[in-house]
């Protein structure tokens, strides 16, 4: 692997991760796109050495075709994912006027419950009898 | 084999009661009575005339050494007889006790399941088998304490009991695992031969003791047992005085010969037993609920048994077996007797139970006899066994530990005389407010049959306590076989009148002091508060739950960016830590690359950084496309023309998709909300950026076999008729993968189409609403 491939992978993953942690779905989609490219470069760079195109009959050292086949599939799937994500972002915008991910209401309620005091066992049930 | 069938029969009746005979619990109970009596019969016939103890091993995981092994030796016989005969009495009693109670069917099922588990436990010949039944009894106990599931007190007590005994069970499992690992066996006999010593044996022994102490309610785990009195009387009488709480004692009895001489054992056992005896005795003197008095007295008596079995001298073991039998009989009688009074008067308050003298005189006399046995008064059986215990400890030569045990038991005996006498006092005293009881009495016009059924087991217990007392020497000879099964030297005898000796003199003093304290002890005591142990347990429990909620609140704040951040961080920690362990050696394998590769890479890097920095959606999409094109060029340079072409096409399409979607949106994205600081995100991103390429390098260097592609090269032309191997792989060798990929695309397309249509409909509806509002 060359120093350039190494650096490129590092930057693509860092930028992609940074964008994934945003609230705007458009930015998240961009992040998915960047990180997808990073993954593809990673598979090619770590899976084989550079060489001639793997076509039988060519002169010289041929590159390994297997990672290429994997990455080719990955590129297409990444496109499908990105398209779906952008449609979600667009839909969100059409309906709510923004493309931001909201906090999960249920999870926020757990946080609030934690602030109340915990009690042994469960809460008394209305049908409970006094003993 | 036949005794194994007897164990299974218990569970069969349990299933029958819980599923088949839900509406006819009495029939199920009768079937249970038959099984219990049959088990007693089977055990006795197996034991009589057998030259060696019958054994049965059922293989489960022979490779791991986990098998079910049962053995009917003398001790197992006496324990199994206690379990089945007391079970018989209590189950018969419960038919009357649960009259008109809808929970009876559940009670019968759980009761039989418990009796089966307990029988299995006492017949077990190895620790692992014992553990399985041990945990089962914990579960049945939990369900039985919480039998009245609509009472909050019952539910809480059930949880306390389960968590305490369950935690002890887990400690025990670890101990068993250590022994299995060290000595390759969990069988009692084989462990005794292995005679474990050393640090590992001490640790294992301590863990087993934790199991025994939690189960038998020894200090500091003594608090759950009085709480378990929330259960109906038959449950308390059977599980929490006569049988289940003896499981810990059984474990002690079985393991004392193995670990008795490891350093920690004797101290642990004696200290826990003595402290428990004293705490239980003290609390029994103060409680005002007769059932709780009995519960604390049980705790106290269990302390005595713990000392006797744990100290490991032959005489003490013999005395322990004898007192175990005596205690099971008188305590079951006492619990059932209090149940009779409760049934009759509707109260168990010690200041009021004197009224029972008029309505159920026979039961009261029987209770009195059981109380005298508990106090250790001649001629009842309790006297003979307690004398034996004192003699055994006077003879034992264990130095300081032995003295602590002896004087601890003497002090404990003062308490047991005192709380017995206090209850006697309560029974003979005429209560002040008999009017309210008469009123209550009218509600309880129980039939003569019911009253007889309720009283019968109490009377039987009293008669047996008395009869065993007079026949002490005969009963003593029966107990030789059980105690010598534990320790071959534990051969001794009991006597009604042992003659005047040190033990008798000590007893006389003990009885005198105890009787005075007990008679003077107030019957009304309002200072009773929640026991210390229970409060500590509740505090720990509440803190655990509150802590769990707080941790959940921190790691699950509901923010998707934070979830993603945590995930990314964890994903990168693994490769990073591996790299730190293995060193950065593979970094030196990096090549400098060609100038062309360098320039294309730099372009891609700059564009990628641009995507992150620029806030404009449109520019971001364009830059992303740029990154894609640069990488396409990189693919072309590396000998991947197919990839390059695909990448070019897909990047173009991606830009189109982005443009279509972005048409509707504003140009600039808003700044992220401040909840997740920018600097943290940068840190996480940098960590991922460092970890992943290192992982890539490591993956590359980890290759040991040649690529699978060699075969594709060899077969491509002949079998698939293609020269471009990448294409052949995609459409031929791995054709199904490509098929799957197409399916994914189709599903994504369907999803996109539906989302777009739904959003359009929503928008149209919103517009028409606005128009209506406008006009």
């Amino acid at each position: 692997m060359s120093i350039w491939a190494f650096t490129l992978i590092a930057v693509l993953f860092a930028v992609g991760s940074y964008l994934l942690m945003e609230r705007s779905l458009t930015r998240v989609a961009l992040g998915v796109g960047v990180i997808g490219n990073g993954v593809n470069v990673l598979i090619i760079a770590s899976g084989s050495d550079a060489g001639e195109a793997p076509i039988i009959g060519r002169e010289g050292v041929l590159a390994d075709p297997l990672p290429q086949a994997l990455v080719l599939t990955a590129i297409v799937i990444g496109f499908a994912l990105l398209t779906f994500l952008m449609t979600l972002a667009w839909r969100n915008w059409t309906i709510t006027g923004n493309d931001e991910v909201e906090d999960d209401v249920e999870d926020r309620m757990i946080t609030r419950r934690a602030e109340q005091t915990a009690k042994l066992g469960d809460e008394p049930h209305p049908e409970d009898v006094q003993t | 084999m036949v005794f194994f069938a007897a164990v299974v029969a218990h569970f069969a009746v349990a299933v029958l009661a819980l599923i088949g005979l839900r509406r006819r619990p009495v029939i199920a109970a009768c079937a249970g009575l038959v099984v219990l009596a049959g088990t007693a019969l089977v055990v006795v016939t197996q034991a009589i005339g057998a030259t060696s103890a019958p054994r049965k091993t059922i293989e489960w995981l022979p490779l791991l050494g986990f098998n079910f092994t049962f053995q009917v030796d003398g001790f197992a016989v006496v324990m199994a007889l206690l379990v089945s005969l007391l079970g018989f009495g209590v189950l018969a009693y419960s038919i009357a006790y649960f009259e008109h109670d809808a929970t009876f069917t559940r009670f019968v099922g759980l009761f039989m399941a418990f009796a089966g588990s307990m029988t299995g436990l006492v017949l077990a010949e190895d620790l692992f088998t014992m553990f399985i039944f041990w945990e089962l009894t914990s579960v049945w106990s939990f369900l039985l304490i919480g039998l009245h599931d609509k009472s909050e007190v019952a539910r809480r007590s059930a949880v306390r009991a389960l968590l305490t005994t369950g935690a002890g069970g887990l400690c025990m499992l670890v101990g068993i695992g250590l022994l299995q690992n060290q000595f390759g066996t969990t069988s009692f006999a084989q462990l005794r031969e292995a005679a474990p010593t050393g640090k590992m044996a001490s640790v294992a022994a301590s863990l087993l003791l934790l199991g025994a102490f939690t189960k038998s309610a020894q200090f500091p785990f003594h608090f759950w047992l009085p709480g378990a009195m929330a259960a109906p009387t038959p449950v308390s009488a059977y599980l929490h005085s006569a049988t289940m709480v003896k499981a810990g004692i059984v474990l002690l009895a079985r393991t004392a010969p193995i670990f008795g001489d490891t350093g920690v054992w004797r101290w642990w056992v004696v200290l826990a037993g003595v402290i428990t005896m004293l705490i239980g005795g003290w609390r029994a003197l103060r409680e005002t609920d007769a059932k709780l008095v009995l519960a604390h007295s049980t705790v106290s008596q269990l302390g005595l048994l713990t000392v006797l079995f744990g100290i490991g001298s032959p005489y003490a073991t013999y005395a322990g077996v004898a007192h175990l039998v005596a205690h099971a009989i008188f305590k079951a009688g006492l619990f059932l007797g209090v149940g009779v009074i409760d049934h009759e008067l509707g109260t168990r308050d010690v200041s009021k139970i004197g009224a029972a003298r008029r309505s159920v005189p026979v039961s009261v006399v029987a209770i009195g006899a059981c109380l005298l046995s508990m106090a250790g008064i001649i001629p009842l059986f309790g006297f003979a066994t307690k004398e034996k215990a004192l003699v055994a400890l006077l003879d034992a030569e264990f130095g300081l530990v032995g003295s602590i045990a002896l004087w601890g038991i003497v002090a404990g005996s003062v308490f047991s005389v005192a709380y017995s006498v206090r209850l006697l006092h309560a029974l003979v005293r005429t209560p002040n407010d008999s009017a309210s009881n008469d009123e209550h009495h009218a509600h309880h016009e129980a039939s003569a049959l019911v009253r007889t059924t309720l009283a019968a087991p109490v009377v039987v217990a009293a008669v047996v306590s008395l009869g065993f007392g007079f026949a002490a020497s005969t009963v003593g000879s029966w107990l030789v076989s059980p105690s010598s099964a534990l320790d071959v030297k534990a051969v001794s005898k009991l006597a009604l009148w042992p003659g005047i000796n040190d033990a008798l003199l000590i007893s006389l003093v003990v009885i005198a002091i105890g009787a005075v304290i007990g008679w003077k002890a107030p019957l009304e005591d309002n200072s009773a508060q929640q026991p210390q142990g229970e409060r500590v347990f509740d505090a720990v429990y509440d803190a655990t739950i509150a802590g769990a909620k707080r941790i959940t609140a921190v790691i699950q704040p509901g923010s998707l960016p934070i979830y993603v951040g945590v995930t990314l961080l964890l994903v990168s920690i693994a490769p990073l830590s591996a790299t730190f362990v293995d060193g950065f050696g593979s970094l030196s394998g990096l090549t400098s690359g060609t100038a062309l590769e360098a320039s294309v890479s730099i372009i891609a890097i700059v564009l990628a950084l641009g995507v992150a920095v620029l806030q404009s959606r449109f520019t971001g999409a364009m830059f992303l496309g740029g990154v894609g094109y640069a990488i396409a060029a990189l693919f072309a340079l590396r000998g991947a023309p197919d990839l390059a072409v695909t990448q070019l096409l897909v990047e173009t399409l991606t830009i189109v998709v982005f443009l279509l979607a972005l048409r509707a949106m504003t140009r600039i994205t808003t700044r992220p909300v401040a909840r997740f600081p920018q600097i943290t995100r940068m840190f996480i991103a940098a960590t991922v950026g460092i970890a992943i390429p290192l992982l890539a390098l490591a993956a590359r260097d980890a290759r040991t076999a040649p690529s699978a592609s060699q075969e594709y090269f060899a077969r491509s032309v002949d079998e698939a008729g293609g020269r471009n191997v990448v294409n052949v792989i995609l459409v031929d060798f791995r054709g199904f993968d490509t098929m799957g990929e197409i399916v994914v695309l189709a599903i994504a397309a369907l999803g996109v189409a539906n989302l777009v249509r739904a959003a359009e409909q929503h928008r149209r509806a919103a517009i028409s609403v606005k128009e209506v509002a406008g006009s």
Side-chain angles (χ1 to χ4, degrees), chain A residues 3 18 64 100 103-104 107, chain B residues 563 591 670 675 678 707 709:
Chain A
I3 184 89
Y18 178 78
D64 191 341
E100 288 186 3
D103 275 359
D104 189 326
D107 286 357
Chain B
Y563 292 169
T591 58
T670 43
R675 268 187 74 197
Q678 185 99 0
S707 167
S709 304

Side-chain angles (χ1 to χ4, degrees), chain B residues 543-559:
Chain B
T544 311
I545 299 289
K549 280 186 179 164
R550 236 167 267 139
I551 292 173
T552 310
V554 170
I555 63 171
Q556 196 172 316
S559 155

Side-chain angles (χ1 to χ4, degrees), chain B residues 71 111 242 260 310 368 411 459 470 508 519 592 645 655 661 669-670 688:
Chain B
Q71 182 168 1
F111 185 92
V459 175
F470 279 115
L508 285 177
W519 197 266
S592 56
V645 173
I655 293 176
T669 48
T670 43
V688 177

Side-chain angles (χ1 to χ4, degrees), chain B residues 287-477:
Chain B
E287 288 295 341
T288 53
D289 180 344
K291 200 174 169 189
L292 282 178
V293 173
L294 292 180
H296 286 291
S297 82
T298 304
V299 170
S300 166
Q301 299 275 340
L302 287 169
L304 171 62
L305 290 173
T306 300
V307 172
L308 288 177
F309 279 109
I311 202 156
S313 89
Y315 281 159
T317 304
Y318 180 82
V321 173
H323 194 65
L324 191 149
V325 173
H327 176 253
I329 295 167
F330 68 66
K331 193 50 67 66
L334 286 172
F335 266 109
L336 297 179
V338 166
V340 170
I341 294 177
D342 190 13
H343 199 261
E344 198 65 30
L345 301 180
T347 179
R348 301 188 301 245
D349 193 317
V350 286
S351 63
K352 296 186 183 136
I353 57 175
R357 216 167 57 223
R358 260 169 293 156
S359 45
V360 280
V362 180
S363 297
V364 169
V365 170
I367 295 171
C370 291
L371 283 174
L372 289 176
S373 186
M374 180 156 80
I377 309 285
I378 196 165
L380 288 126
F381 192 43
F383 169 77
T385 58
K386 196 164 270 178
E387 285 299 298
K388 195 74 212 165
L390 282 175
V391 170
L393 286 173
L394 281 169
D395 284 359
E397 290 163 351
F398 292 117
L400 180 59
V401 192
S403 310
I404 294 176
L406 175 63
W407 295 110
I409 283 186
V410 170
S413 301
V414 173
F415 276 118
S416 62
V417 173
Y419 54 68
S420 307
V421 169
R422 178 165 172 258
L423 279 183
L424 267 179
H425 183 201
L427 281 174
V428 299
R429 199 179 77 142
T430 309
N432 308 327
D433 51 341
S434 49
S436 63
N437 292 329
D438 287 344
E439 183 198 352
H440 186 87
H441 199 93
H443 294 287
H444 265 274
E445 277 310 319
S447 69
L449 178 66
V450 167
R451 294 171 129 203
T452 316
T453 317
L454 284 174
V458 188
V459 175
V460 169
V463 169
V464 172
S465 288
L466 193 63
F468 274 21
F470 279 115
S473 52
T474 315
V475 178
S477 66

Side-chain angles (χ1 to χ4, degrees), chain B residues 38 76 131 156 262 359 363 399 529 568 649 675 765:
Chain B
F131 172 78
R156 283 176 170 224
T262 53
S359 45
S363 297
Q529 50 178 334
L568 287 171
L649 290 173
R675 268 187 74 197

